[in-house]
Every structure is written in C-alpha cells, then in structure tokens.
C-alpha cells in the first residue's frame, strides 16, 4: 500500500472512529483458505466498525464470496482468526453464528416462491419453535406490526398477501433482505444485492441499505461503481485473495494498482 493511500485510509478510519465511537464489530486477521493448495483467500486482514457500511469490490475470482462464506461459517479458514466483537467465529457452526447476530444473503434470492410475502417474513422469525408455539406467536399483534414495519422498509407493504414467486426480480432481492432483517442481525453480509436490478431499483436499494446502516453494520459485495459510490464510506479491494487497496471510493478509484487490475481484466 502506498504511503499516500494508507494515509487516506487512516484518515477515513479516524473519521469513522470519531463518528461511531470506534467500536469494531468484525475483525478478520491473517485469514487464509486453501482449496487443494490454491489460496482463494490469502493472509487477509480487515476490520469493520459498528454501523459501518463497508463495500468489498474486486474482479471475479478475487475471493469475495469465499470471504463471506468464512465469516458466516459455511467455509472454515485454513488459518487465521475471524472475530465478531470478541467472539471467535472461525470454529463456530453456521446456525450459532446466525444466532449471535450475523446474517448472510447469498447471490441468488432464496425465498419461498409459493408463500406470500408476509409468510416469508413470518417464517424468518428465529425464536419460534414448535408448530403450536409458532402459530400462537405469529398471531400476536407485535409480530404483525414487525412484519408490516419490515415490509414498509423493503417497499413491499402493498404486496404482503401475494405469492412471492410473482414478484419482480428486484422485489425478491428486497424480500430476502427483509427476511434477514426479521432475524434482527447486527451484521449483515450481502453478496451482490443489486445484480439484475434496474437503475431505479438500485437507487432504492442504496437508500434501503443506508437506512439499515443507521443501526447495523453491513458488508456488501458489489461490482456496480455507481452503486458503490452511493453507499460506501470505505471500500476494500480484493485481488487474488489478497487486499489490494482500501480507502474512500476516490482513493481506490485513483489507486494505480486498482486501475491496472480492472483495466487488465
Ligand atoms: N469450494 C471451492 N473449491 C475450490 N475452489 C474454490 C471453491 N470456492 C471458491 N473457489 C475458488 O476460489 C476463487 C475465489 O472465488 P470466489 O470467492 O467465489 O470469488 P469472487 O466472489 O470474488 O468472484 C476462485 O478461483 C474460485 O474458483
Ligand atoms: Mg462472488
């Protein structure tokens, strides 16, 4: 990292530290994962603060999805440490990581197309166990209010009772974000949330993510630079499993190493 860009990273992080009380929610330290000797993520370190909206960019195959897989427990790192606040996540099963407040959205929406929007949100409430308990629980006014609140946030308040399969592609992506929000995670991991969306839907998604970031931390993988500009404070650039650059959007866009990687692609 050049002196110049590491200075501006530091300036950006100091700024964040001031505004956010500098609490770290996620610490990735010297993380490596090898698949048959191939290092998909190679000695990577990065950290994310409370209520930060971090964007991760990088060419195809850079290791972005693999990084999210490791944070959410789908893939075990070969070495290194991943901490959520003070908790070590790297040896924890997926369901426990979710229970501690880390929610993950995959690249393709995984909603139940035969259920309505409201039903999809309902079944995402985590603390419901057993059929009777769940039926009784779901009928409480608090649950109904929560579903309506989330539906409004994801712009589906007028579609609560239609089958999710009939939603537009962008609306399905929003529904899945809503399903994550029902779990009340403190850290959301989103893999390419605006893929396949129209420009208008992208704008609305940016607004949604900015609203979510008022109370939670987000790590968002994205390619669309207009979208990245509209949401990011700090951008992390990965390349061949390593951290290539990190800083404000202007810093990374002007970083010769980033330019080379993107133009050479
Ligand atoms: N389970 C796996 N087994 C073998 N190779 C993998 C596996 N998962 C990912 N890879 C490889 O690791 C690299 C990084 O992949 P990925 O994290 O999906 O990249 P990105 O999301 O940045 O496009 C790619 O070369 C991919 O082929
Ligand atoms: Mg990917």
């Amino acid at each position: 990292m050049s002196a110049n860009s590491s200075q501006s990273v530091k300036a950006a992080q100091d700024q964040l530290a001031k505004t956010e009380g500098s609490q770290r929610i996620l610490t990735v330290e010297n993380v490596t994962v090898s698949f048959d000797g191939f290092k998909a993520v190679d000695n990577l370190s990065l950290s994310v603060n409370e209520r930060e909206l971090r964007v991760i960019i990088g060419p195809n195959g850079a290791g972005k999805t693999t990084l999210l897989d490791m944070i959410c427990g789908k893939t075990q790192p070969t070495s290194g440490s991943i901490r959520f606040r003070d908790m070590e996540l790297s040896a924890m099963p997926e369901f426990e990581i979710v229970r501690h407040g880390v929610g993950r959205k995959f690249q393709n929406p995984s909603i139940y197309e035969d259920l309505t929007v409201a039903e999809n949100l309902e079944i995402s409430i985590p603390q419901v166990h057993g059929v009777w308990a769940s039926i009784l629980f779901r009928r409480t006014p608090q649950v109904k209010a929560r579903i309506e609140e989330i539906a409004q946030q994801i712009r589906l308040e007028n579609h609560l009772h239609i089958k999710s399969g009939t939603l537009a592609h962008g609306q399905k992506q929003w529904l899945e974000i809503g399903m994550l929000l029902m779990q009340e995670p403190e850290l959301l991991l989103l893999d390419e949330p605006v893929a396949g969306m129209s420009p208008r839907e992208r704008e609305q998604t940016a607004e949604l993510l900015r609203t979510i970031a008022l109370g939670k931390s987000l790590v968002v993988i994205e390619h669309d630079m207009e979208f990245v500009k509209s949401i990011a404070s700090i951008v992390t650039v990965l390349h061949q499993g390593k951290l290539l650059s990190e800083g404000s959007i202007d810093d990374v866009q002007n970083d010769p190493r980033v330019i080379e990687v993107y133009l050479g692609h």
Side-chain angles (χ1 to χ4, degrees):
M1 184 173 294
S2 70
N4 216 358
S5 91
S6 60
Q7 268 163 14
S8 47
V9 170
K10 195 169 177 315
Q13 281 171 341
D14 286 350
Q15 187 54 38
L16 257 169
K18 267 183 226 144
T19 51
E20 310 295 346
S22 104
Q23 294 278 88
R24 270 189 191 179
I25 192 161
L26 178 71
T27 310
V28 173
E29 220 165 58
N30 306 117
V31 164
T32 296
V33 64
S34 305
F35 299 116
D36 300 322
F38 169 75
K39 290 177 180 173
V41 170
D42 188 359
N43 198 27
L44 180 68
S45 298
L46 60 90
S47 61
V48 177
N49 284 335
E50 301 273 0
R51 290 182 301 284
E52 184 183 343
L53 203 175
R54 172 70 57 93
V55 176
I56 297 179
I57 65 170
N60 275 334
K64 306 179 298 293
T65 297
T66 305
L67 173 64
L68 293 199
D69 286 347
M70 289 190 288
I71 299 169
C72 78
K74 190 167 172 264
T75 299
Q76 296 290 309
T78 310
S79 60
S81 161
I82 301 174
R83 293 188 300 281
F84 176 65
R85 304 218 170 95
D86 291 329
M87 251 172 306
E88 182 61 49
L89 298 185
S90 56
M92 211 184 266
E94 266 183 285
F95 72 90
E96 227 177 279
I97 293 174
V98 170
R99 214 159 55 195
H100 279 108
V102 180
R104 160 85 181 269
K105 184 193 172 306
F106 289 88
Q107 237 161 300
N108 297 314
S110 53
I111 56 171
Y112 297 94
E113 305 231 330
D114 289 335
L115 299 184
T116 67
V117 168
E119 286 164 345
N120 267 284
L121 293 172
E122 250 176 43
I123 58 162
S124 305
I125 299 169
Q127 58 274 65
V128 178
H129 296 293
V131 175
W132 288 110
S134 91
I135 288 170
L136 293 173
F137 178 72
R138 284 174 192 167
R139 290 187 179 162
T140 64
Q142 293 95 309
V143 168
K144 204 164 166 270
R146 173 102 186 118
I147 289 170
E148 277 164 13
E149 179 198 329
I150 298 291
Q152 204 152 25
Q153 219 181 342
I154 58 172
R155 299 172 181 275
L156 293 176
E157 71 270 28
N158 297 323
H159 298 80
L160 273 171
H161 302 296
I162 70 162
K163 288 251 194 300
S164 304
T166 66
L167 294 172
H169 174 75
Q171 292 175 317
K172 288 181 185 173
Q173 302 268 31
W174 292 340
L175 176 56
E176 202 183 356
I177 293 174
M179 291 165 72
L180 269 187
L181 291 172
M182 291 300 289
Q183 302 169 7
E184 302 192 60
E186 293 175 86
L187 172 65
L188 278 85
L189 311 170
L190 307 178
D191 203 345
E192 302 191 21
V194 297
M197 281 190 184
S198 70
R200 177 86 188 111
E201 287 172 331
R202 282 166 193 246
E203 269 171 43
Q204 292 171 331
T205 305
E207 198 183 312
L208 170 63
L209 299 191
R210 286 194 302 261
T211 309
I212 294 170
L214 296 174
K216 298 171 188 302
S217 305
L218 290 101
V219 174
V220 180
I221 293 176
E222 199 41 73
H223 286 295
D224 181 288
M225 287 311 278
E226 279 308 305
F227 181 75
V228 172
K229 272 185 204 165
S230 67
I231 59 170
S233 48
I234 300 180
V235 178
T236 298
V237 189
L238 298 190
H239 179 49
Q240 296 177 342
K242 295 191 174 80
L243 195 144
L244 181 70
S245 184
E246 193 170 72
S248 70
I249 181 96
D250 289 335
D251 290 339
V252 301
Q253 275 191 315
N254 292 318
D255 185 332
R257 287 160 309 173
V258 175
I259 294 166
E260 193 187 319
V261 161
Y262 273 92
L263 288 183
H265 206 69

